[in-house]
Amino acid sequence: MKRRAVVVGLTATTVGTAAGFGSGARAATQDWRAGAGAGARASADLVFDPDACTESTLTIKDTAGVAHEVVYRFYKVASYVAEPVDATYQSLNVSVPVKIDGTAVDATGAPILLANGIGGYMPSSVANNTGIVASGMGGGTSRQALALAAGYVVVEPGARGRTLVDASGVYYGTAPAVIVDLKAAVRYLRFNKGRVPGDVRRIVSSGVSAGGALSALLGASGDSPLYDPYLKEIGAADTSDAIFAAGAWCPIIDLEHADMAYEWCWGANPLNGGAQVDPAVSGELKAAYAEHLAALGLRAKGFGALTARNLDAYLLRTHLEPSATRYLAALPGADRAAYLAANPFITWSGGGSGGRATFSWDGFRTHVGARKKNAPSFDGFTLATPENNLFGTGTTKARHFTLYSLRHESGDSARLDADIPAKLDLMNPMHHLVENPNRNRAKHWWIRLGTKDTDTSLSVAGNLSARLTSLGDDVDTAYYWDAGHGADQDPGDFVEWIGEISGYRL
Ligand code: DHB
């Protein structure tokens, strides 16, 4: 961790014509709805105006604690589509560094960090932001500010989300709206090659949790024709939506298999307060995961085919023991000894800071303790989870998206709504990686997850990593020891990684 940003001062001066927001954007939306000729005007209206910005100065502390004065231009794009459904969400901001520590920088060829702020599959708006969002989760600094101080262009897109509902009760932000919007944002950037600062062939997306899932999906599904009708409908630019790299922190993906995966991983763990989940439900879902894994056909070096029998060993050897080893090796000797004394399930061999942690799956999952979610965790029997809402449609707020939960509630002859299978594919990065791997996927991947994150199974990110590795992609995966949901313990390393994979240096 070399960079951590703290905003010390912010001053703004207007350069050119600052693009208005709020009421202006809404007026534009109404124009589109009024309709005449919206399609014909589409591409002209998607032209980025390189002069419509404000210029500000931001003091950003890097992760070594060194303050940098960054002068940057801030552009508000009222909508990245020609026919927005709701421009409050379908808009984006662009931040471009022009001077760092008194030295002019030219970001024309810089990589572009596309940082989504999506959480919980909820709507995400950047419409009211007047500058880069410089503070990150937990009061620290944002990835965006670190990227800006490294000389990169930063794009912050908004996107529709599951809870949006119009005056007639129609849910207009359920699947696949959020990924369609992010793709439209990518297309906007690529359409504006040469006008928008930065190298549009070097778009690196980032996101956490649901945002991490969408970042991974953006990376996996680049240029997939499956999204074309949806993109057309909102007047997205007619160009590529492939991205160069994807960063995904605790990605909540593979939703249709997440209930099974959860019981495989955390099935034996108690809920908060000590109660166990329904053992019949847990056991059935766990058994279904074994079948799913067998059909999936994942492989990993040193393990061959990944099955319910060796998936724990794969996670232990490939991700969890190296995570504990890094954590313990970095501790001062006395702290390491105290940690090991308090956690006897870990064997520390080799001694000192050069040791190596080993432990059993059972020892590990007992150490993690309470599971966050009941069973089933994602397709809830009572339709009350975020994911039930994500797969809502029309005036129906929430639906089942797995046969297991549907039939548990409605009997063995019940069938999923006809549109559900295609929507699951549209929302699942694994769909684009497993059977017919998408050739236009991102080839560089940064995957991070806390070992105490029980928002989903630890195998979800592990499977993604294994599949991408098998495909030959450049995959940097690490689990953060004892860290919970949303952790980011190496933000400076991510920013450096972007420089390495893109070959960009200030
Ligand atoms: C998020 C967390 C969840 O547990 C989930 O099911 C979906 C999204 C989130 O933090 O974004």
Side-chain angles (χ1 to χ4, degrees):
M1 281 183 231
K2 294 186 200 89
R3 293 167 194 267
R4 184 155 291 272
V6 173
V7 183
V8 177
L10 177 67
T11 52
T13 42
T14 302
V15 176
T17 45
F21 238 90
S23 58
R26 283 187 186 284
T29 307
Q30 278 150 18
D31 282 349
W32 301 128
R33 283 184 177 150
R41 295 192 310 216
S43 45
D45 285 311
L46 292 176
V47 172
F48 180 83
D49 179 357
D51 296 324
C53 61
T54 55
E55 199 166 284
S56 305
T57 303
L58 198 55
T59 303
I60 296 173
K61 249 187 209 171
D62 66 24
T63 52
V66 179
H68 300 278
E69 194 181 78
V70 179
V71 180
Y72 76 104
R73 293 198 174 140
F74 185 70
Y75 300 81
K76 295 191 73 69
V77 172
S79 187
Y80 49 69
V81 291
E83 297 171 63
V85 179
D86 192 337
T88 303
Y89 303 97
Q90 295 169 304
S91 60
L92 59 78
N93 298 332
V94 181
S95 298
V96 183
V98 291
K99 203 188 274 187
I100 300 176
D101 293 332
T103 304
V105 296
D106 174 4
T108 307
I112 298 172
L113 176 66
L114 181 71
N116 82 62
I118 296 160
Y121 289 103
M122 296 288 282
S124 172
S125 177
V126 297
N128 291 325
N129 296 350
T130 53
I132 197 164
V133 176
S135 62
M137 280 181 301
T141 266
S142 72
R143 194 170 293 126
Q144 293 94 300
L146 295 177
L148 194 72
Y152 310 155
V153 172
V154 176
V155 176
E156 296 168 293
R160 288 170 292 167
R162 62 185 169 85
T163 54
L164 295 172
V165 62
D166 71 14
S168 47
V170 172
Y171 284 84
Y172 64 92
T174 54
V178 59
I179 183 62
V180 172
D181 283 355
L182 292 179
K183 281 177 171 290
V186 171
R187 286 181 174 208
Y188 175 87
L189 296 171
R190 298 197 73 139
F191 172 76
N192 282 296
K193 178 175 191 283
R195 287 186 292 268
V196 75
D199 183 348
V200 298
R201 297 162 312 168
R202 295 288 178 268
I203 297 174
V204 181
S205 98
S206 69
V208 181
S209 196
L214 288 156
S215 181
L217 182 57
L218 207 51
S221 68
D223 290 339
S224 164
L226 295 181
Y227 303 86
D228 283 347
Y230 297 96
L231 287 159
K232 221 170 224 148
E233 200 179 320
I234 56 173
D238 187 12
T239 185
S240 170
D241 52 62
I243 61 169
F244 181 66
W249 286 258
C250 51
I252 305 281
I253 63 164
D254 203 6
L255 299 173
E256 61 267 47
H257 305 110
D259 291 331
M260 307 171 187
Y262 202 97
E263 299 316 312
W264 173 84
C265 189
W266 308 123
N269 289 41
L271 288 160
N272 219 340
Q276 293 291 330
V277 300
D278 182 331
V281 169
S282 181
E284 285 166 5
L285 287 166
K286 182 178 175 177
Y289 196 50
E291 279 180 45
H292 170 62
L293 283 171
L296 195 56
L298 298 180
R299 304 183 67 80
K301 203 172 160 202
F303 297 89
L306 294 181
T307 67
R309 237 186 266 267
N310 65 6
L311 195 62
D312 52 357
Y314 160 73
L315 285 175
L316 286 168
R317 306 283 111 74
T318 312
H319 302 300
L320 301 175
E321 289 173 348
S323 169
T325 299
R326 279 191 301 273
Y327 172 83
L328 287 164
L331 287 182
D335 292 356
R336 181 167 52 246
Y339 187 95
L340 289 167
N343 294 283
F345 77 99
I346 300 178
T347 301
W348 186 248
S349 32
S353 61
R356 200 169 76 83
T358 51
F359 41 86
S360 70
W361 175 255
D362 218 42
F364 167 74
R365 59 141 209 92
T366 304
H367 168 71
V368 171
R371 55 185 277 168
K372 182 169 179 178
K373 299 182 175 183
N374 208 330
S377 301
F378 292 85
D379 189 356
F381 291 149
T382 62
L383 295 173
T385 70
E387 289 75 15
N388 289 130
N389 181 202
L390 178 65
F391 289 102
T393 191
T395 55
T396 303
K397 180 179 180 180
R399 292 189 294 172
H400 286 301
F401 54 92
T402 67
L403 265 186
Y404 181 82
S405 289
L406 176 71
R407 291 186 170 172
H408 187 273
E409 295 305 294
S410 306
D412 284 350
S413 59
R415 291 179 181 276
L416 292 170
D417 282 357
D419 63 311
I420 289 278
K423 285 193 175 147
L424 289 167
D425 290 347
L426 290 167
M427 295 306 292
N428 194 345
M430 298 301 273
H431 173 75
H432 302 273
L433 301 172
V434 173
E435 264 167 49
N436 296 302
N438 175 20
R439 294 158 63 96
N440 290 353
R441 69 184 182 277
K443 302 296 180 345
H444 303 275
W445 298 83
W446 178 273
I447 299 169
R448 293 293 184 273
L449 179 62
T451 62
K452 280 196 171 174
D453 186 338
T454 65
D455 274 53
T456 195
S457 167
L458 296 186
S459 65
V460 166
N463 287 357
L464 175 66
S465 178
R467 183 59 189 149
L468 292 166
T469 303
S470 292
L471 289 174
D473 292 357
D474 165 29
V475 190
D476 187 320
T477 303
Y479 285 50
Y480 304 128
W481 186 249
D482 277 354
H485 190 58
D488 179 6
Q489 298 186 342
D490 51 359
D493 291 351
F494 176 65
V495 171
E496 277 180 24
W497 179 78
I498 294 174
E500 283 161 22
I501 60 172
S502 64
Y504 184 77
R505 285 284 172 270
L506 267 183

